Amino acid sequence: MSAVAGPTRVAIVGAGNVSDEYLRALTSYPDLTVTAIADLDVARAKAQAEKYGVPASGSAAEKLGRDDVDLVVNLTIPAAHAEVALAAIEAGKHVWGEKPLTLDRASARAVLDAAKARGVVVGNAPDTIIGPAIQTSHRLLAAGEIGTPRTVLTLMQGPGPDVWHPRPQFLFAKGAGPLFDIGPYYVSTLVQLLGPVVSVSAVGQTPRAERVIGSGPDAGTRFPVEVSTHVSVVTTFASGVVGTSVYSFDSPVHRQLFEVTGADGTMEVPVSGFDGPTRVLTGLTPDSPWRDVPAEGVASGRGVGVLEMARAIREGRTPRAGGELSFHVLDVMLAIEESVERGAPVAIESTAPLVPPIPVEWDPTARTFDGTEQK
Ligand SMILES: NC(=O)c1ccc[n+]([C@@H]2O[C@H](COP(=O)([O-])OP(=O)(O)OC[C@H]3O[C@@H](n4cnc5c(N)ncnc54)[C@H](O)[C@@H]3O)[C@@H](O)[C@H]2O)c1
């Protein structure tokens, strides 16, 4: 790796709910330093800056162009992702975004094209695919633990985030719902472990036209639901693997499953977080024993993708949770939505690079730069 003087300087745009997790992580990695935090609500940005010892806060417009920012972390709501990313790229900054990349293919492609033209890098959540839990599954699959993968079964169901989020309206608006809010974790993991998708066929339902805010100062307020809140999908991968998935905010029962079955066994992947074992069943008979393989590698959490992207930029390589992967994931989710609308299968035109697992010794907590801090 080439020597770079000082940590990568990060500005956060969007000081809402998820910013605490990011700020905790990004202020702890020696390879990064958070120099500014911005929000439309400047008081919210100021409070987060004070809480985490970030030196500057204010509005996005004034913070994006700062000289002491190399990389912008976009934690705004999905409807603002494209606009904030394009403004950051225009200012010559690399951009990491929360999921989804944007709301449509045209704006997502515009973000990637603008970044290419400006010579900056785009990366996008989720970064669970970089964490020790999913990477352990990836290494086991790559080592042939269950043989050649044939099918995958995923289930994500629960009552929905209206129950706990103080501002849940955006989670039931275009660009969210179970497919776009939680789907990115599943679709990114599917593509990371099983390669690109070539077609999807889906059915959706919206059993309740309105929901009620369940917590915070606006608890009890009704708001409209614009998206399918239960989606069933059949997915065909370029490899020939066939997937069956449910994404639902319409069940009182919280349940998550990500199960890959291969020629020689089955594997349960801990899809939704950064820790937890991979469960492996070798053999194809019902009495075969399950075995837990603990997550291997240095512990990490949300925000590790920003760190991995900063290192990728220093090393001149594509980040693992990079723009093209994120475009493919968005393309698949949009195709699922289109399949629901048309009642027919939809072919996927984009693809994503096959990425090998991360070496088990990869350490996000290490200091990989030399020299002094940049001024
Ligand atoms: N809440 C979570 O636990 C969670 C988990 C994973 C991912 N995410 C993702 O993180 C993103 C943010 O979610 P959240 O729950 O923190 O939302 P939030 O509504 O709590 O916070 C979003 C913040 O962005 C600000 N904002 C909106 N548009 C802006 C703009 N143009 N310029 C500057 N600031 C702007 C808002 O004022 C608000 O403070 C979403 O993409 C979501 O999918 C959230």
Side-chain angles (χ1 to χ4, degrees):
M1 183 191 308
S2 62
V4 179
T8 300
R9 300 161 305 176
V10 174
I12 291 178
V13 181
N17 214 282
V18 80
S19 67
D20 277 303
E21 257 184 281
Y22 269 90
L23 279 157
R24 266 195 301 274
L26 302 190
T27 55
S28 76
Y29 293 135
D31 278 0
L32 304 178
T33 182
V34 183
T35 52
I37 178 155
D39 199 293
L40 288 177
D41 183 336
V42 291
R44 198 176 288 157
K46 184 164 184 277
Q48 289 298 72
E50 282 168 4
K51 187 171 169 190
Y52 292 95
V54 175
S57 69
S59 73
E62 63 185 356
K63 296 302 165 214
L64 285 177
R66 288 170 67 102
D67 288 341
D68 64 352
V69 174
D70 306 306
L71 191 160
V72 168
V73 173
N74 181 3
L75 306 182
T76 60
I77 56 170
H81 284 179
E83 173 200 329
V84 171
L86 285 167
I89 291 165
E90 175 70 19
K93 313 301 182 190
H94 306 291
V95 187
W96 170 270
E98 250 307 326
K99 43 79 186 169
L101 178 57
T102 68
L103 296 187
D104 56 68
R105 295 181 186 90
S107 63
R109 189 45 73 194
V111 166
L112 299 189
D113 287 349
K116 199 170 175 188
R118 197 74 170 82
V120 295
V121 173
V122 173
N124 217 82
D127 49 8
T128 42
I129 59 170
I130 296 166
I134 291 174
Q135 282 294 320
T136 298
S137 304
H138 198 178
R139 284 190 285 268
L140 288 166
L141 264 184
E145 196 73 18
I146 60 164
T148 305
R150 299 234 163 105
T151 58
V152 58
L153 179 64
T154 79
L155 173 61
M156 185 296 296
Q157 65 173 32
D162 44 329
V163 174
W164 61 268
H165 198 294
R167 293 177 292 273
Q169 293 92 328
F170 80 88
L171 293 166
F172 292 84
K174 185 169 158 46
L179 177 61
F180 284 86
D181 185 44
I182 310 293
Y185 298 101
Y186 285 77
V187 179
S188 300
T189 308
L190 287 168
V191 174
Q192 170 93 1
L193 298 184
L194 302 168
V197 172
V198 292
S199 84
V200 290
S201 184
V203 178
Q205 292 177 326
T206 310
R208 280 179 279 163
E210 283 188 334
R211 297 256 179 163
V212 179
I213 299 177
S215 80
D218 297 326
T221 305
R222 304 184 79 80
F223 64 92
V225 177
E226 297 174 8
V227 290
S228 298
T229 48
H230 183 103
V231 183
S232 302
V233 191
V234 174
T235 304
T236 307
F237 294 80
S239 63
V241 170
V242 174
T244 308
S245 298
V246 168
Y247 303 98
S248 182
F249 287 165
D250 284 315
S251 172
V253 182
H254 282 282
R255 195 175 281 145
Q256 298 184 332
L257 178 69
F258 191 117
E259 187 177 276
V260 185
T261 298
D264 304 323
T266 286
M267 176 184 289
E268 261 184 43
V269 176
V271 61
S272 55
F274 289 83
D275 51 18
T278 297
R279 302 187 70 226
V280 180
L281 182 153
T282 309
L284 294 174
T285 56
D287 54 351
S288 305
W290 284 96
R291 180 165 65 87
D292 279 7
V293 181
E296 278 190 302
V298 178
S300 60
R302 213 191 294 274
V304 71
V306 179
L307 185 270
E308 202 276 338
M309 174 168 148
R311 288 187 181 171
I313 293 165
R314 289 159 185 266
E315 294 165 19
R317 60 173 175 80
T318 305
R320 281 170 183 275
E324 287 303 330
L325 169 65
S326 156
F327 184 91
H328 184 61
V329 169
L330 177 68
D331 195 13
V332 170
M333 294 189 301
L334 288 167
I336 291 170
E337 195 178 49
E338 286 154 8
S339 177
V340 168
E341 284 159 10
R342 293 180 203 164
V346 174
I348 311 292
E349 287 178 12
S350 66
T351 188
L354 285 171
V355 184
I358 297 177
V360 72
E361 61 277 6
W362 189 77
D363 183 358
T365 68
R367 181 183 187 272
T368 65
F369 62 86
D370 60 11
T372 53
E373 302 230 340
Q374 294 180 39
K375 295 284 176 249

Short mmCIF file of all heavy atoms in Angstrom, two decimals, residues 12-22 38-42 44-45 58-61 64 74-81 83-84 97-101 124-126 164-168 170-171 175-176 180-182 184-185 302, ligand 1:
data_model
loop_
_atom_site.label_atom_id
_atom_site.label_comp_id
_atom_site.label_asym_id
_atom_site.label_seq_id
_atom_site.Cartn_x
_atom_site.Cartn_y
_atom_site.Cartn_z
N ILE A 12 -19.93 14.15 7.49
CA ILE A 12 -21.21 13.44 7.49
C ILE A 12 -22.31 14.42 7.13
O ILE A 12 -22.36 15.53 7.67
CB ILE A 12 -21.46 12.81 8.88
CG1 ILE A 12 -20.47 11.66 9.10
CG2 ILE A 12 -22.91 12.32 9.00
CD1 ILE A 12 -20.57 10.97 10.43
N VAL A 13 -23.19 14.01 6.20
CA VAL A 13 -24.38 14.81 5.89
C VAL A 13 -25.59 13.98 6.30
O VAL A 13 -25.79 12.87 5.77
CB VAL A 13 -24.45 15.18 4.39
CG1 VAL A 13 -25.70 16.02 4.13
CG2 VAL A 13 -23.21 15.93 3.96
N GLY A 14 -26.38 14.51 7.24
CA GLY A 14 -27.53 13.77 7.77
C GLY A 14 -27.22 13.33 9.19
O GLY A 14 -26.48 12.38 9.41
N ALA A 15 -27.76 14.07 10.16
CA ALA A 15 -27.45 13.81 11.58
C ALA A 15 -28.63 13.15 12.27
O ALA A 15 -28.91 13.42 13.44
CB ALA A 15 -27.09 15.14 12.26
N GLY A 16 -29.36 12.28 11.55
CA GLY A 16 -30.56 11.66 12.11
C GLY A 16 -30.28 10.38 12.87
O GLY A 16 -29.19 10.16 13.42
N ASN A 17 -31.31 9.51 12.84
CA ASN A 17 -31.31 8.28 13.63
C ASN A 17 -30.05 7.42 13.50
O ASN A 17 -29.47 6.98 14.49
CB ASN A 17 -32.52 7.48 13.15
CG ASN A 17 -33.16 6.70 14.25
OD1 ASN A 17 -32.65 5.66 14.63
ND2 ASN A 17 -34.24 7.22 14.81
N VAL A 18 -29.62 7.19 12.26
CA VAL A 18 -28.52 6.23 12.04
C VAL A 18 -27.15 6.88 12.28
O VAL A 18 -26.13 6.19 12.34
CB VAL A 18 -28.63 5.62 10.62
CG1 VAL A 18 -28.07 6.57 9.56
CG2 VAL A 18 -27.95 4.27 10.55
N SER A 19 -27.12 8.20 12.44
CA SER A 19 -25.82 8.88 12.52
C SER A 19 -25.05 8.51 13.80
O SER A 19 -23.81 8.55 13.80
CB SER A 19 -25.99 10.40 12.41
OG SER A 19 -26.67 10.92 13.52
N ASP A 20 -25.74 8.14 14.87
CA ASP A 20 -25.03 7.76 16.10
C ASP A 20 -24.11 6.57 15.86
O ASP A 20 -22.95 6.58 16.24
CB ASP A 20 -26.01 7.42 17.22
CG ASP A 20 -26.51 8.66 17.94
OD1 ASP A 20 -25.66 9.41 18.47
OD2 ASP A 20 -27.72 8.89 17.96
N GLU A 21 -24.68 5.53 15.20
CA GLU A 21 -23.87 4.33 14.95
C GLU A 21 -22.65 4.67 14.10
O GLU A 21 -21.54 4.20 14.35
CB GLU A 21 -24.73 3.30 14.20
CG GLU A 21 -25.23 2.18 15.06
CD GLU A 21 -25.97 1.15 14.23
OE1 GLU A 21 -27.15 1.41 13.91
OE2 GLU A 21 -25.40 0.11 13.92
N TYR A 22 -22.87 5.49 13.07
CA TYR A 22 -21.76 5.88 12.20
C TYR A 22 -20.73 6.70 12.97
O TYR A 22 -19.53 6.47 12.86
CB TYR A 22 -22.27 6.73 11.01
CG TYR A 22 -22.61 5.90 9.80
CD1 TYR A 22 -23.88 5.39 9.61
CD2 TYR A 22 -21.65 5.63 8.83
CE1 TYR A 22 -24.20 4.64 8.50
CE2 TYR A 22 -21.95 4.88 7.70
CZ TYR A 22 -23.23 4.39 7.54
OH TYR A 22 -23.53 3.64 6.43
N ALA A 38 -23.16 17.84 8.86
CA ALA A 38 -24.13 18.79 8.32
C ALA A 38 -25.52 18.18 8.31
O ALA A 38 -25.68 16.96 8.26
CB ALA A 38 -23.73 19.17 6.90
N ASP A 39 -26.52 19.06 8.35
CA ASP A 39 -27.91 18.61 8.24
C ASP A 39 -28.75 19.83 7.85
O ASP A 39 -28.36 20.98 8.14
CB ASP A 39 -28.41 18.06 9.59
CG ASP A 39 -29.64 17.16 9.45
OD1 ASP A 39 -30.72 17.69 9.07
OD2 ASP A 39 -29.53 15.95 9.69
N LEU A 40 -29.88 19.58 7.20
CA LEU A 40 -30.84 20.66 6.95
C LEU A 40 -31.21 21.29 8.29
O LEU A 40 -31.42 22.49 8.39
CB LEU A 40 -32.11 20.10 6.29
CG LEU A 40 -32.03 19.64 4.84
CD1 LEU A 40 -33.37 19.05 4.42
CD2 LEU A 40 -31.66 20.80 3.92
N ASP A 41 -31.32 20.44 9.30
CA ASP A 41 -31.60 20.89 10.65
C ASP A 41 -30.24 21.12 11.33
O ASP A 41 -29.62 20.19 11.86
CB ASP A 41 -32.41 19.79 11.37
CG ASP A 41 -32.82 20.17 12.76
OD1 ASP A 41 -32.16 21.04 13.37
OD2 ASP A 41 -33.80 19.58 13.26
N VAL A 42 -29.77 22.38 11.30
CA VAL A 42 -28.40 22.65 11.77
C VAL A 42 -28.26 22.42 13.28
O VAL A 42 -27.16 22.10 13.76
CB VAL A 42 -27.92 24.08 11.38
CG1 VAL A 42 -27.71 24.19 9.89
CG2 VAL A 42 -28.87 25.15 11.87
N ARG A 44 -29.62 19.95 14.87
CA ARG A 44 -29.39 18.51 15.00
C ARG A 44 -27.92 18.18 14.69
O ARG A 44 -27.28 17.39 15.38
CB ARG A 44 -30.33 17.75 14.05
CG ARG A 44 -30.50 16.29 14.39
CD ARG A 44 -31.50 15.62 13.48
NE ARG A 44 -32.87 16.01 13.75
CZ ARG A 44 -33.88 15.94 12.88
NH1 ARG A 44 -33.66 15.49 11.65
NH2 ARG A 44 -35.08 16.31 13.22
N ALA A 45 -27.40 18.84 13.65
CA ALA A 45 -25.99 18.62 13.29
C ALA A 45 -25.09 19.09 14.43
O ALA A 45 -24.10 18.43 14.78
CB ALA A 45 -25.66 19.37 12.00
N GLY A 58 -23.00 22.39 10.56
CA GLY A 58 -23.77 23.43 9.88
C GLY A 58 -24.62 22.83 8.78
O GLY A 58 -25.02 21.67 8.87
N SER A 59 -24.88 23.61 7.72
CA SER A 59 -25.70 23.12 6.62
C SER A 59 -24.82 22.38 5.62
O SER A 59 -23.61 22.61 5.56
CB SER A 59 -26.40 24.28 5.92
OG SER A 59 -25.45 25.00 5.17
N ALA A 60 -25.44 21.50 4.80
CA ALA A 60 -24.66 20.72 3.83
C ALA A 60 -23.95 21.64 2.85
O ALA A 60 -22.79 21.45 2.52
CB ALA A 60 -25.57 19.75 3.10
N ALA A 61 -24.67 22.67 2.37
CA ALA A 61 -24.11 23.54 1.34
C ALA A 61 -22.77 24.12 1.78
O ALA A 61 -21.81 24.18 1.01
CB ALA A 61 -25.09 24.66 1.03
N LEU A 64 -19.93 20.89 2.38
CA LEU A 64 -19.46 19.96 1.34
C LEU A 64 -18.19 20.42 0.66
O LEU A 64 -17.35 19.61 0.28
CB LEU A 64 -20.57 19.76 0.29
CG LEU A 64 -21.72 18.89 0.71
CD1 LEU A 64 -22.78 18.82 -0.37
CD2 LEU A 64 -21.25 17.49 1.05
N ASN A 74 -23.09 10.12 3.26
CA ASN A 74 -24.44 10.64 3.02
C ASN A 74 -25.47 9.81 3.79
O ASN A 74 -25.83 8.72 3.37
CB ASN A 74 -24.67 10.58 1.50
CG ASN A 74 -26.03 11.11 1.08
OD1 ASN A 74 -26.81 11.59 1.90
ND2 ASN A 74 -26.30 11.04 -0.22
N LEU A 75 -25.92 10.37 4.92
CA LEU A 75 -26.89 9.66 5.78
C LEU A 75 -28.24 10.35 5.74
O LEU A 75 -28.98 10.34 6.72
CB LEU A 75 -26.37 9.60 7.23
CG LEU A 75 -24.97 9.03 7.44
CD1 LEU A 75 -24.63 9.00 8.93
CD2 LEU A 75 -24.86 7.63 6.84
N THR A 76 -28.55 10.98 4.61
CA THR A 76 -29.86 11.62 4.47
C THR A 76 -30.91 10.57 4.12
O THR A 76 -30.60 9.40 3.90
CB THR A 76 -29.82 12.70 3.37
OG1 THR A 76 -29.46 12.08 2.13
CG2 THR A 76 -28.79 13.78 3.69
N ILE A 77 -32.16 11.01 4.04
CA ILE A 77 -33.24 10.08 3.68
C ILE A 77 -33.09 9.68 2.20
O ILE A 77 -32.51 10.43 1.41
CB ILE A 77 -34.63 10.69 3.95
CG1 ILE A 77 -34.78 12.03 3.22
CG2 ILE A 77 -34.85 10.86 5.44
CD1 ILE A 77 -36.19 12.59 3.25
N PRO A 78 -33.62 8.50 1.80
CA PRO A 78 -33.42 8.02 0.42
C PRO A 78 -33.75 9.05 -0.66
O PRO A 78 -33.04 9.16 -1.66
CB PRO A 78 -34.34 6.80 0.35
CG PRO A 78 -34.32 6.27 1.76
CD PRO A 78 -34.30 7.49 2.64
N ALA A 79 -34.81 9.84 -0.46
CA ALA A 79 -35.22 10.80 -1.50
C ALA A 79 -34.15 11.86 -1.74
O ALA A 79 -34.13 12.51 -2.79
CB ALA A 79 -36.53 11.45 -1.10
N ALA A 80 -33.25 12.07 -0.78
CA ALA A 80 -32.20 13.09 -0.93
C ALA A 80 -30.85 12.49 -1.33
O ALA A 80 -29.89 13.23 -1.54
CB ALA A 80 -32.06 13.87 0.39
N HIS A 81 -30.77 11.16 -1.44
CA HIS A 81 -29.45 10.53 -1.67
C HIS A 81 -28.78 11.04 -2.94
O HIS A 81 -27.59 11.39 -2.94
CB HIS A 81 -29.60 9.00 -1.74
CG HIS A 81 -29.79 8.37 -0.39
ND1 HIS A 81 -29.96 7.02 -0.21
CD2 HIS A 81 -29.83 8.92 0.86
CE1 HIS A 81 -30.10 6.76 1.08
NE2 HIS A 81 -30.03 7.90 1.74
N GLU A 83 -29.31 13.81 -4.82
CA GLU A 83 -28.98 15.25 -4.79
C GLU A 83 -27.74 15.52 -3.94
O GLU A 83 -26.82 16.23 -4.35
CB GLU A 83 -30.21 15.98 -4.23
CG GLU A 83 -30.05 17.44 -3.96
CD GLU A 83 -31.12 17.94 -2.96
OE1 GLU A 83 -32.24 17.40 -2.95
OE2 GLU A 83 -30.79 18.85 -2.17
N VAL A 84 -27.68 14.91 -2.76
CA VAL A 84 -26.53 15.14 -1.86
C VAL A 84 -25.26 14.51 -2.45
O VAL A 84 -24.18 15.12 -2.42
CB VAL A 84 -26.84 14.60 -0.44
CG1 VAL A 84 -25.61 14.63 0.45
CG2 VAL A 84 -27.97 15.41 0.19
N GLY A 97 -22.65 6.32 0.67
CA GLY A 97 -24.05 6.62 0.94
C GLY A 97 -24.73 5.51 1.71
O GLY A 97 -24.35 4.34 1.62
N GLU A 98 -25.75 5.91 2.47
CA GLU A 98 -26.62 4.89 3.06
C GLU A 98 -27.49 4.31 1.94
O GLU A 98 -27.57 4.84 0.84
CB GLU A 98 -27.47 5.49 4.21
CG GLU A 98 -27.05 4.98 5.58
CD GLU A 98 -27.00 3.45 5.70
OE1 GLU A 98 -27.81 2.75 5.09
OE2 GLU A 98 -26.14 2.94 6.44
N LYS A 99 -28.09 3.19 2.21
CA LYS A 99 -28.88 2.52 1.18
C LYS A 99 -30.29 3.12 1.12
O LYS A 99 -30.75 3.65 2.13
CB LYS A 99 -28.92 1.00 1.42
CG LYS A 99 -29.13 0.57 2.88
CD LYS A 99 -30.54 0.67 3.28
CE LYS A 99 -30.83 0.40 4.71
NZ LYS A 99 -32.20 0.76 5.09
N PRO A 100 -30.98 3.01 -0.02
CA PRO A 100 -30.45 2.56 -1.30
C PRO A 100 -29.61 3.66 -1.97
O PRO A 100 -29.69 4.82 -1.56
CB PRO A 100 -31.71 2.26 -2.11
CG PRO A 100 -32.75 3.19 -1.54
CD PRO A 100 -32.41 3.38 -0.10
N LEU A 101 -28.83 3.26 -3.02
CA LEU A 101 -27.96 4.21 -3.70
C LEU A 101 -28.73 5.48 -4.06
O LEU A 101 -28.33 6.60 -3.71
CB LEU A 101 -27.39 3.53 -4.95
CG LEU A 101 -26.48 4.31 -5.88
CD1 LEU A 101 -25.27 4.87 -5.14
CD2 LEU A 101 -26.01 3.42 -7.04
N ASN A 124 -21.35 2.32 -1.19
CA ASN A 124 -22.69 2.39 -0.63
C ASN A 124 -22.97 1.27 0.36
O ASN A 124 -22.47 0.16 0.20
CB ASN A 124 -23.73 2.34 -1.75
CG ASN A 124 -24.92 3.24 -1.49
OD1 ASN A 124 -24.83 4.44 -1.75
ND2 ASN A 124 -25.98 2.70 -0.95
N ALA A 125 -23.81 1.62 1.36
CA ALA A 125 -24.29 0.62 2.30
C ALA A 125 -25.15 -0.40 1.56
O ALA A 125 -25.64 -0.08 0.47
CB ALA A 125 -25.09 1.31 3.40
N PRO A 126 -25.36 -1.59 2.09
CA PRO A 126 -24.93 -1.99 3.43
C PRO A 126 -23.49 -2.50 3.44
O PRO A 126 -23.00 -3.07 2.46
CB PRO A 126 -25.89 -3.14 3.75
CG PRO A 126 -26.20 -3.76 2.44
CD PRO A 126 -26.22 -2.61 1.44
N TRP A 164 -41.38 1.57 15.89
CA TRP A 164 -40.31 2.12 16.72
C TRP A 164 -39.69 3.43 16.22
O TRP A 164 -39.13 4.18 16.99
CB TRP A 164 -39.18 1.10 16.91
CG TRP A 164 -38.54 0.67 15.63
CD1 TRP A 164 -38.89 -0.41 14.86
CD2 TRP A 164 -37.44 1.30 14.95
NE1 TRP A 164 -38.09 -0.48 13.75
CE2 TRP A 164 -37.19 0.56 13.78
CE3 TRP A 164 -36.65 2.43 15.21
CZ2 TRP A 164 -36.19 0.89 12.87
CZ3 TRP A 164 -35.64 2.75 14.30
CH2 TRP A 164 -35.42 2.00 13.15
N HIS A 165 -39.75 3.71 14.90
CA HIS A 165 -39.04 4.89 14.36
C HIS A 165 -39.89 6.14 14.64
O HIS A 165 -41.08 6.15 14.35
CB HIS A 165 -38.81 4.72 12.86
CG HIS A 165 -37.76 5.62 12.29
ND1 HIS A 165 -37.89 6.99 12.25
CD2 HIS A 165 -36.54 5.36 11.74
CE1 HIS A 165 -36.81 7.52 11.70
NE2 HIS A 165 -35.96 6.55 11.39
N PRO A 166 -39.28 7.23 15.20
CA PRO A 166 -40.08 8.42 15.50
C PRO A 166 -40.52 9.19 14.25
O PRO A 166 -41.43 10.02 14.32
CB PRO A 166 -39.14 9.28 16.36
CG PRO A 166 -37.76 8.79 16.05
CD PRO A 166 -37.89 7.34 15.67
N ARG A 167 -39.85 8.94 13.09
CA ARG A 167 -40.23 9.62 11.82
C ARG A 167 -40.33 8.55 10.72
O ARG A 167 -39.54 8.54 9.79
CB ARG A 167 -39.17 10.66 11.42
CG ARG A 167 -39.06 11.86 12.36
CD ARG A 167 -37.94 12.81 11.95
NE ARG A 167 -36.62 12.21 12.11
CZ ARG A 167 -35.91 12.23 13.24
NH1 ARG A 167 -36.39 12.87 14.30
NH2 ARG A 167 -34.73 11.65 13.32
N PRO A 168 -41.28 7.61 10.83
CA PRO A 168 -41.26 6.45 9.92
C PRO A 168 -41.87 6.69 8.54
O PRO A 168 -41.85 5.80 7.70
CB PRO A 168 -42.10 5.41 10.68
CG PRO A 168 -43.09 6.24 11.41
CD PRO A 168 -42.38 7.52 11.80
N PHE A 170 -40.97 8.13 5.84
CA PHE A 170 -40.13 7.87 4.66
C PHE A 170 -39.92 6.37 4.44
O PHE A 170 -39.62 5.94 3.32
CB PHE A 170 -38.79 8.62 4.75
CG PHE A 170 -37.73 8.00 5.62
CD1 PHE A 170 -36.85 7.06 5.11
CD2 PHE A 170 -37.60 8.36 6.95
CE1 PHE A 170 -35.86 6.49 5.90
CE2 PHE A 170 -36.61 7.82 7.75
CZ PHE A 170 -35.75 6.87 7.22
N LEU A 171 -40.11 5.58 5.48
CA LEU A 171 -39.90 4.13 5.36
C LEU A 171 -41.09 3.42 4.70
O LEU A 171 -41.02 2.24 4.38
CB LEU A 171 -39.62 3.53 6.73
CG LEU A 171 -38.29 4.00 7.32
CD1 LEU A 171 -38.19 3.69 8.81
CD2 LEU A 171 -37.12 3.38 6.57
N GLY A 175 -39.17 4.34 -2.49
CA GLY A 175 -37.75 4.24 -2.13
C GLY A 175 -37.53 3.53 -0.81
O GLY A 175 -36.38 3.38 -0.38
N ALA A 176 -38.61 3.09 -0.17
CA ALA A 176 -38.44 2.34 1.09
C ALA A 176 -39.39 1.14 1.08
O ALA A 176 -39.47 0.44 0.07
CB ALA A 176 -38.65 3.26 2.29
N PHE A 180 -37.05 -1.96 -0.25
CA PHE A 180 -35.95 -1.01 -0.42
C PHE A 180 -35.27 -0.66 0.90
O PHE A 180 -34.12 -0.24 0.91
CB PHE A 180 -36.44 0.27 -1.11
CG PHE A 180 -36.64 0.09 -2.58
CD1 PHE A 180 -37.84 -0.41 -3.06
CD2 PHE A 180 -35.62 0.35 -3.48
CE1 PHE A 180 -38.04 -0.62 -4.41
CE2 PHE A 180 -35.80 0.15 -4.83
CZ PHE A 180 -37.01 -0.34 -5.30
N ASP A 181 -35.97 -0.83 2.04
CA ASP A 181 -35.34 -0.51 3.32
C ASP A 181 -34.51 -1.68 3.85
O ASP A 181 -33.36 -1.50 4.25
CB ASP A 181 -36.41 -0.12 4.35
CG ASP A 181 -35.77 0.35 5.66
OD1 ASP A 181 -34.80 1.12 5.59
OD2 ASP A 181 -36.22 -0.09 6.74
N ILE A 182 -35.07 -2.88 3.83
CA ILE A 182 -34.35 -4.05 4.36
C ILE A 182 -33.77 -4.89 3.23
O ILE A 182 -32.73 -5.54 3.37
CB ILE A 182 -35.28 -4.93 5.23
CG1 ILE A 182 -36.02 -4.07 6.27
CG2 ILE A 182 -34.50 -6.04 5.92
CD1 ILE A 182 -35.17 -3.46 7.34
N PRO A 184 -31.94 -4.23 0.69
CA PRO A 184 -30.53 -4.06 0.34
C PRO A 184 -29.59 -5.00 1.10
O PRO A 184 -28.59 -5.47 0.55
CB PRO A 184 -30.25 -2.60 0.69
CG PRO A 184 -31.56 -1.92 0.49
CD PRO A 184 -32.60 -2.92 0.96
N TYR A 185 -29.91 -5.30 2.37
CA TYR A 185 -29.05 -6.22 3.15
C TYR A 185 -29.08 -7.61 2.52
O TYR A 185 -28.06 -8.27 2.39
CB TYR A 185 -29.53 -6.32 4.60
CG TYR A 185 -29.46 -5.01 5.33
CD1 TYR A 185 -30.58 -4.22 5.53
CD2 TYR A 185 -28.23 -4.53 5.80
CE1 TYR A 185 -30.51 -3.00 6.18
CE2 TYR A 185 -28.15 -3.31 6.45
CZ TYR A 185 -29.30 -2.55 6.63
OH TYR A 185 -29.22 -1.35 7.26
N ARG A 302 -21.51 -1.07 11.68
CA ARG A 302 -21.91 -0.14 10.64
C ARG A 302 -20.89 1.00 10.55
O ARG A 302 -20.49 1.55 11.58
CB ARG A 302 -23.29 0.43 10.96
CG ARG A 302 -24.10 0.73 9.71
CD ARG A 302 -25.32 1.54 10.05
NE ARG A 302 -26.30 0.85 10.86
CZ ARG A 302 -27.27 0.06 10.39
NH1 ARG A 302 -27.35 -0.19 9.12
NH2 ARG A 302 -28.14 -0.49 11.21
N1 LIG B 1 -32.44 4.41 11.27
C1 LIG B 1 -31.74 3.32 11.08
O1 LIG B 1 -31.57 2.47 11.98
C2 LIG B 1 -31.09 3.04 9.74
C3 LIG B 1 -30.41 1.83 9.62
C4 LIG B 1 -29.76 1.56 8.43
C5 LIG B 1 -29.80 2.47 7.41
N2 LIG B 1 -30.50 3.62 7.51
C6 LIG B 1 -30.50 4.53 6.37
O2 LIG B 1 -29.91 5.75 6.77
C7 LIG B 1 -30.53 6.85 6.10
C8 LIG B 1 -31.04 7.83 7.11
O3 LIG B 1 -31.97 7.18 7.95
P1 LIG B 1 -32.33 7.77 9.39
O4 LIG B 1 -33.15 6.73 10.04
O5 LIG B 1 -31.11 8.28 10.06
O6 LIG B 1 -33.28 8.99 8.94
P2 LIG B 1 -33.62 10.31 9.78
O7 LIG B 1 -34.86 10.89 9.19
O8 LIG B 1 -33.58 10.02 11.23
O9 LIG B 1 -32.37 11.28 9.45
C9 LIG B 1 -32.12 11.81 8.17
C10 LIG B 1 -31.49 13.17 8.37
O10 LIG B 1 -31.12 13.69 7.07
C11 LIG B 1 -31.42 15.08 7.05
N3 LIG B 1 -31.58 15.47 5.65
C12 LIG B 1 -32.56 15.12 4.78
N4 LIG B 1 -32.33 15.67 3.57
C13 LIG B 1 -31.18 16.38 3.68
C14 LIG B 1 -30.44 17.18 2.78
N5 LIG B 1 -30.83 17.34 1.51
N6 LIG B 1 -29.30 17.78 3.24
C15 LIG B 1 -28.89 17.61 4.51
N7 LIG B 1 -29.57 16.86 5.43
C16 LIG B 1 -30.71 16.27 5.00
C17 LIG B 1 -32.71 15.20 7.86
O11 LIG B 1 -32.88 16.54 8.33
C18 LIG B 1 -32.43 14.21 8.99
O12 LIG B 1 -31.78 14.79 10.11
C19 LIG B 1 -31.60 6.24 5.19
O13 LIG B 1 -31.07 6.05 3.90
C20 LIG B 1 -31.86 4.88 5.83
O14 LIG B 1 -32.28 3.92 4.87
C21 LIG B 1 -31.13 3.93 8.67
#
